[in-house]
Amino acid sequence: MQNRSVWERACGLTRTVVEGVAFDDEAQAIVVSARPVARARNRCGHCGRRSPGYDGGAGRRRWRALDLGTTKVFIEAPAPRVRCHEHGVTVAAVPWARHDAGHTRDFDDLAAWLAVRTSKSAVMELLRVAWRTVGSIVTRVNADIDATVDRLDGLRRIGIDEISYKRGHRYLIVVVDHDTGRLVWAGPGRNDTALNVFFDELGPERSALLTHVSADMADWIARVVAQRAPNAVRSADPFHVVAWAIEALDIERRRAWNTAKGRRSTRGLARQGRSTGDAQRISHARYALWKNPDDLTGRQRHQLDWIAKTSPRLWRAYLLKEGLRYVFAVKGDEGKQALDRWTSWARRSRMPAFVQLQRRIAAHRDAIDVALDTGLSQGLIESTNTKIRLLTRIAFGFHGYQPLVALAMLALGAHPPRLPGRI
Ligand SMILES: [Zn+2]
């Protein structure tokens, strides 16, 4: 008797009767035979409701539990089926594991905790599990949290963005809460339908409480937001606006490179020219032009100095990009005045890419002014995207998008996984 309760404690078992313990030589593991206590028996695996028994199911089965020291542990028990009023014939619930899981609840929780805090190889080597298994585990743990808390409650100011992964073949829509800095929703796709799923889950009452929605200027996002969040002011995402300027700068950079190579224009007939010294230097200065001046290395600073002296037009394009970044750095009324000056500067620049950019900015001026007033989304969406992009890399071995979404929610949401056995 004494021993049994020690084993119950050691394996973190509750509402469970330990029948015996043995060492399985073949599996090189401790096998704890158990059964749920009477009141935990004959319950539906989905809803936990007490249900009439159906049959013995597939007989006894094993659940991987947390290791004891260096030794693997399995809980072994019968897995009968019940007939639930609502869910039909299903495997009965057990107190130590989630439904349809091959691992105990504690094992799941530890794996999820490690998955958001350590590397892929650390999780696999420490727990001795396949990476795909970890994908199923984080999906289960996340679904469990979803069933107990509503992550969409209390939202007022949100940011919406799309990110691509699997080399641009897959897309996720991500929604962040500007007030908590947390990821609150992620789902597959990049169109109206996909974004409408979020607003369906949010529901009309909570959608009406949204005051600010920041997003890039994609028309489909604007359309859905206007329809579904009628009281929200749309705010431009400064990060995206600056990204437009970097695109325009890049067009100028390519033009300068082509000129240096001896072509008359990007569209002119190519006279097969070698990449001469100047063209090469322009090509190498790519990152120096893109980067924020504060992050430049000594060498990159040198490259910019050289461009300032030798390519006045490309240098002006660079200053225009930096001018737009300055607008969002100062924000507020000062930012708006700076943007007015920037606009007329770009209009007179005689660089088609910037003349166009200036028109694009004028078309979205209201949303940009909201961003300057509220200071919304500086960095939050950008940093969330960066983190999700890192997660997509480790989620590569997962099956489908669900484990990726689950991992992202666990890592960046308001309800991180808990260590087993701790409150
Ligand atoms: Zn049920």
Side-chain angles (χ1 to χ4, degrees):
M1 285 306 144
Q2 190 73 24
N3 271 348
R4 286 182 187 175
S5 64
V6 171
W7 280 102
E8 279 170 30
R9 282 298 182 92
C11 299
L13 297 168
T14 57
R15 293 179 296 145
T16 302
V17 179
V18 170
E19 296 168 335
V21 181
F23 190 81
D24 181 335
D25 281 316
E26 207 177 311
Q28 283 291 299
I30 295 167
V31 177
V32 178
S33 298
R35 62 169 195 272
V37 297
R39 67 190 151 78
R41 246 172 280 163
N42 292 320
R43 290 184 179 274
C44 168
H46 291 284
C47 63
R49 210 171 297 149
R50 189 170 271 284
S51 310
Y54 180 75
D55 67 5
R60 292 179 78 78
R61 49 165 297 193
R62 288 178 178 184
W63 289 260
R64 171 93 188 268
L66 290 175
D67 294 351
L68 278 175
T70 55
T71 311
K72 285 188 187 177
V73 176
F74 289 91
I75 310 292
E76 193 187 272
R81 296 195 292 175
V82 295
R83 187 198 290 276
C84 172
H85 203 63
E86 196 185 330
H87 299 101
V89 174
T90 177
V91 177
V94 290
W96 55 82
R98 294 179 171 90
H99 188 56
D100 260 347
H103 300 76
T104 64
R105 195 175 286 273
D106 285 351
F107 190 97
D108 279 359
D109 291 348
L110 180 62
W113 191 89
L114 287 167
V116 303
R117 280 176 176 78
T118 67
S119 69
K120 177 174 171 175
S121 59
V123 183
M124 289 167 66
E125 286 176 37
L126 181 66
L127 297 182
R128 296 179 275 200
V129 285
W131 188 240
R132 187 166 281 208
T133 307
V134 177
S136 317
I137 289 175
V138 294
T139 308
R140 282 200 294 269
V141 172
N142 187 55
D144 227 24
I145 293 172
D146 263 343
T148 51
V149 295
D150 197 334
R151 284 158 154 154
L152 302 182
D153 249 1
L155 294 180
R156 295 294 177 271
R157 309 194 302 168
I158 61 169
I160 300 173
D161 202 12
E162 60 175 62
I163 70 163
S164 64
Y165 65 107
K166 293 228 168 172
R167 299 202 182 114
H169 291 296
R170 296 264 195 287
Y171 294 89
L172 280 185
I173 295 176
V174 301
V175 182
V176 295
D177 180 351
H178 282 298
D179 296 305
T180 61
R182 299 294 187 173
L183 176 69
V184 289
W185 192 86
R190 57 170 330 195
N191 55 27
D192 302 39
T193 323
L195 184 54
N196 271 315
V197 175
F198 164 72
F199 282 106
D200 289 343
E201 286 181 28
L202 187 62
E205 277 166 33
R206 291 189 296 189
S207 299
L209 293 175
L210 293 175
T211 59
H212 293 80
V213 176
S214 75
D216 68 5
M217 298 304 124
D219 288 340
W220 60 270
I221 295 183
R223 207 163 46 231
V224 175
V225 169
Q227 272 171 14
R228 307 290 305 261
N231 302 327
V233 182
R234 220 157 52 81
S235 162
D237 179 15
F239 176 68
H240 281 106
V241 178
V242 173
W244 292 347
I246 291 173
E247 280 168 30
L249 170 60
D250 225 36
I251 291 171
E252 282 301 321
R253 184 186 57 80
R254 280 198 299 272
R255 186 186 170 280
W257 177 74
N258 273 312
T259 310
K261 261 177 76 176
R263 293 179 192 175
R264 294 191 57 192
S265 83
T266 47
R267 283 192 299 166
L269 277 179
R271 187 163 59 82
Q272 215 33 47
R274 287 176 302 117
S275 203
T276 59
D278 279 4
Q280 214 165 47
R281 286 182 83 168
I282 289 171
S283 165
H284 287 166
R286 193 158 75 230
Y287 295 104
L289 288 164
W290 288 344
K291 265 178 140 179
N292 298 347
D294 298 342
D295 303 333
L296 290 173
T297 64
R299 184 164 168 269
Q300 288 170 331
R301 217 172 296 266
H302 224 70
Q303 290 173 323
L304 284 185
D305 285 345
W306 177 77
I307 283 173
K309 283 177 201 134
T310 58
S311 311
R313 176 165 165 157
L314 181 55
W315 180 243
R316 275 188 295 128
Y318 172 76
L319 292 179
L320 274 163
K321 185 265 282 184
E322 280 305 308
L324 198 53
R325 239 168 44 77
Y326 173 78
V327 166
F328 292 108
V330 292
K331 300 177 208 158
D333 287 339
E334 212 185 327
K336 287 182 202 168
Q337 285 157 17
L339 185 53
D340 289 339
R341 285 195 300 275
W342 186 91
T343 306
S344 61
W345 178 22
R347 199 186 304 126
R348 288 181 282 108
S349 70
R350 296 194 185 171
M351 291 184 267
F354 281 95
V355 173
Q356 241 170 45
L357 171 58
Q358 165 269 128
R359 284 199 204 110
R360 199 172 175 188
I361 283 175
H364 297 288
R365 186 62 198 261
D366 288 350
I368 291 173
D369 281 352
V370 172
L372 291 172
D373 281 334
T374 57
L376 273 190
S377 78
Q378 295 276 36
L380 176 62
I381 289 181
E382 187 189 351
S383 74
T384 305
N385 282 354
T386 307
K387 288 173 194 160
I388 292 182
R389 246 181 221 112
L390 289 173
L391 293 176
T392 62
R393 244 179 268 164
I394 74 162
F396 240 61
F398 289 166
H399 189 68
Y401 72 88
Q402 263 172 338
L404 167 62
V405 167
L407 186 64
M409 290 306 302
L410 290 175
L412 307 171
H415 303 274
R418 288 207 173 132
L419 270 178
R422 325 262 165 96
I423 310 289

